[in-house]
């Protein structure tokens, strides 16, 4: 690596050698730097990204990981990943060399997290982000092993108890916000369809087929850096069509009829997440029902479907889960006697064959 003045421009250039992805040794020159220090820093960063030899610092490899993931993940997902890693992982491991981070170091970091009193699900999410980064290093850059595997995990994938409203509780709540038609319709749709909030906010008038009583979900609305952004839904199977009950179709027809000069491309509910959160708290205060989050209305819908005897596969398709296992894992507590009931049905089938 050699930085020197470019006699033609008066700026700095740097000559360097590197090994490309095929293993071939190459020589190159980079020009146009204002200072010698800037030129030398650029080539150091280039070689770190090019070679990824794991003698590099964690913080340097993290930038390689981010650059690759940004091309593959949704903007909202990437922002969440960066927030967790930069806040909970980078301060602890940033200045350590990748090949020197051992299982014991991971355990110490986990113990520090455990002292913070975070929820079990959040602990699991943080730990998974570190494990994912090391998995990436093992798979694509030949790091010998993932120290997170030996260290073990912390937290739980799903909370032991899930907050949701019964039909009776929702009825108490919804009556108290009938004075605002938009709020009333938003919560009515969330509770009786189980769609995600982002999916609701992205709905256009043309997505509602009142004749066939169906709603098409093809997009999601996210708030990013102070702007509303329409994105793809959370997973490929999140693109789906939901059948709605007759009463909801009638209410939606009345609501759309009340929208002056509305077009098919117009948003069905031109409100914000903040507005709905405020409205939900207003309804909770007025009705006296227990406090839950907007997302818990999705859980409320799922619990109602379980109570109605719907199968996990049917519920998975309606909620837009990528795998039926997601539905089973998330709502396993709602199927406490599933194995016993299955055994009873098998016993009945056996006895029928004897008759």
């Amino acid at each position: 690596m050699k930085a020197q003045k470019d006699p033609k421009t008066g700026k700095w250039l740097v000559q360097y050698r590197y090994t490309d992805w095929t293993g071939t040794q190459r020589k190159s020159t980079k020009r146009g730097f204002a200072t010698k220090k800037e030129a030398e820093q650029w080539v150091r960063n280039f070689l770190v990204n090019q070679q990824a030899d794991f003698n590099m610092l964690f913080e340097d490899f993290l930038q390689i990981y981010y650059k690759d993931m940004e091309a593959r993940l949704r903007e909202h997902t990437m922002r969440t990943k960066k927030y967790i890693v930069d806040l909970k992982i980078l301060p602890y491991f940033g200045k350590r060399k990748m090949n020197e981070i051992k299982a014991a170091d991971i355990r110490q970091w986990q113990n520090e997290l455990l002292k913070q009193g975070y929820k079990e699900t959040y602990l699991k999410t943080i730990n998974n982000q570190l494990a994912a980064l090391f998995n990436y290093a093992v798979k694509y850059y030949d790091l010998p092993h993932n120290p997170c595997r030996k260290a073990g995990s912390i937290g739980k994938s799903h909370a032991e108890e899930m907050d949701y409203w019964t039909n009776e509780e929702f009825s108490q709540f919804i009556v108290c916000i009938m004075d605002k038609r938009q709020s009333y319709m938003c919560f009515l749709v969330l509770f009786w369809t189980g769609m995600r909030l982002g999916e609701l906010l992205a709905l256009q008038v043309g997505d509602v087929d009142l004749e066939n009583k169906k709603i098409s979900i093809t997009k999601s609305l996210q708030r990013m850096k102070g702007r509303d952004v329409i994105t793809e839904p959370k997973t490929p199977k999140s693109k789906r069509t939901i059948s709605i009950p007759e009463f909801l179709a009638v209410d939606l027809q009345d609501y759309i009829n009340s929208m002056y000069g509305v077009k098919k491309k117009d948003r069905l509910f031109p409100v914000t997440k903040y507005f709905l959160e405020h409205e939900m708290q207003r309804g909770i205060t007025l009705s006296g029902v227990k406090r839950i989050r907007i997302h818990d209305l999705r859980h409320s819908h799922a619990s109602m479907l379980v109570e109605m005897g719907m199968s996990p596969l049917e519920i998975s398709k309606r909620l837009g889960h990528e795998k039926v296992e997601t539905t089973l894992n998330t709502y396993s507590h709602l199927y406490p006697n599933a194995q016993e009931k299955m055994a009873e049905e098998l016993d009945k089938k056996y006895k029928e064959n004897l008759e």
Side-chain angles (χ1 to χ4, degrees), residues 236-252:
K237 288 191 177 179
S238 293
K239 288 187 176 182
R240 62 201 189 279
T241 300
I242 298 178
S243 295
I244 59 175
E246 178 73 30
F247 78 86
L248 185 56
V250 171
D251 281 348
L252 279 169

Side-chain angles (χ1 to χ4, degrees), residues 14-257:
V14 62
Q15 297 177 335
Y16 57 97
R17 296 179 183 275
Y18 69 98
T19 303
D20 68 15
W21 66 275
T22 67
T24 303
Q25 285 277 337
R26 298 189 179 278
K27 181 180 179 180
S28 188
T29 302
K30 180 71 173 178
R31 306 172 186 274
F33 298 101
T35 65
K36 180 180 180 180
K37 182 178 180 181
E38 183 182 334
E40 292 175 342
Q41 182 61 50
W42 180 90
V43 78
R44 277 196 294 270
N45 291 340
F46 172 83
L47 293 176
V48 162
N49 281 273
Q50 186 70 28
Q51 296 170 11
D53 62 0
F54 296 111
N55 195 40
M56 71 174 72
L57 298 179
F58 179 94
E59 63 184 8
D60 292 328
F61 184 74
L62 181 61
Q63 297 311 309
I64 297 175
Y65 176 68
Y66 279 167
K67 185 176 181 180
D68 191 19
M69 290 296 103
E70 282 172 347
R72 297 168 181 270
L73 298 179
R74 297 167 66 210
E75 183 182 352
H76 181 70
T77 304
M78 194 64 208
R79 286 183 64 222
T80 301
K81 178 184 283 289
K82 283 186 173 182
Y83 177 81
I84 294 173
V85 174
D86 291 352
L87 193 63
K88 305 299 181 185
I89 300 175
L90 185 59
Y92 194 92
F93 294 108
K95 298 301 182 182
R96 302 190 186 195
K97 292 182 178 180
M98 285 289 291
N99 57 10
E100 293 179 356
I101 299 175
K102 307 300 182 185
D105 300 313
I106 305 293
R107 298 281 294 189
Q108 290 176 11
W109 167 73
Q110 290 174 339
N111 289 337
E112 290 299 318
L113 288 177
L114 290 169
K115 294 176 184 176
Q116 303 303 314
Y118 297 129
K119 289 184 178 180
E120 293 289 322
T121 49
Y122 189 47
L123 288 171
K124 184 75 172 180
T125 297
I126 299 171
N127 194 82
N128 284 350
Q129 292 296 341
L130 182 62
L133 186 142
F134 275 108
N135 280 336
Y136 175 87
V138 170
K139 186 173 183 179
Y140 298 109
Y141 289 90
D142 299 322
L143 184 72
H145 64 277
N146 183 346
C148 293
R149 288 184 177 274
K150 187 179 289 186
S153 187
I154 54 173
K156 297 179 181 179
S157 298
H158 302 285
E160 292 182 355
E161 294 185 3
M162 184 177 293
D163 289 329
Y164 61 92
W165 281 339
T166 63
N167 194 5
E168 292 73 22
E169 288 173 315
F170 179 73
S171 296
Q172 288 177 246
F173 164 83
I174 200 69
V175 168
C176 294
I177 59 168
M178 289 183 71
D179 57 325
K180 291 187 180 180
R181 191 165 198 169
Q182 273 190 331
S183 304
Y184 174 78
M185 287 306 306
C186 284
F187 289 113
L188 209 62
V189 172
L190 287 170
F191 183 81
W192 289 103
T193 67
M195 69 176 66
R196 301 176 179 92
L197 177 58
E199 295 169 346
L200 175 95
L201 295 178
L203 285 178
Q204 296 175 339
V205 174
D207 294 326
V208 182
D209 180 356
L210 293 171
E211 182 178 350
N212 295 302
K213 297 188 287 293
K214 295 180 184 297
I215 296 177
S216 297
I217 296 176
T218 59
K219 50 198 169 296
S220 181
L221 185 144
Q222 310 290 340
R223 188 73 175 171
M224 299 179 184
K225 299 179 180 178
R227 59 191 176 93
D228 290 332
V229 179
I230 298 294
T231 68
E232 291 287 306
K234 187 174 182 180
T235 67
K237 288 191 177 179
S238 293
K239 288 187 176 182
R240 62 201 189 279
T241 300
I242 298 178
S243 295
I244 59 175
E246 178 73 30
F247 78 86
L248 185 56
V250 171
D251 281 348
L252 279 169
Q253 181 69 78
D254 289 342
Y255 171 72
I256 293 173
N257 289 343

Side-chain angles (χ1 to χ4, degrees), residues 3 11 79 163 170 193 202 212 234 262 268 291 318 333 339 341:
K11 293 191 175 183
R79 286 183 64 222
D163 289 329
F170 179 73
T193 67
N212 295 302
K234 187 174 182 180
V262 69
L268 184 63
R291 192 173 299 276
R318 187 169 179 84
H333 64 290
Q339 292 291 335
K341 290 180 179 178

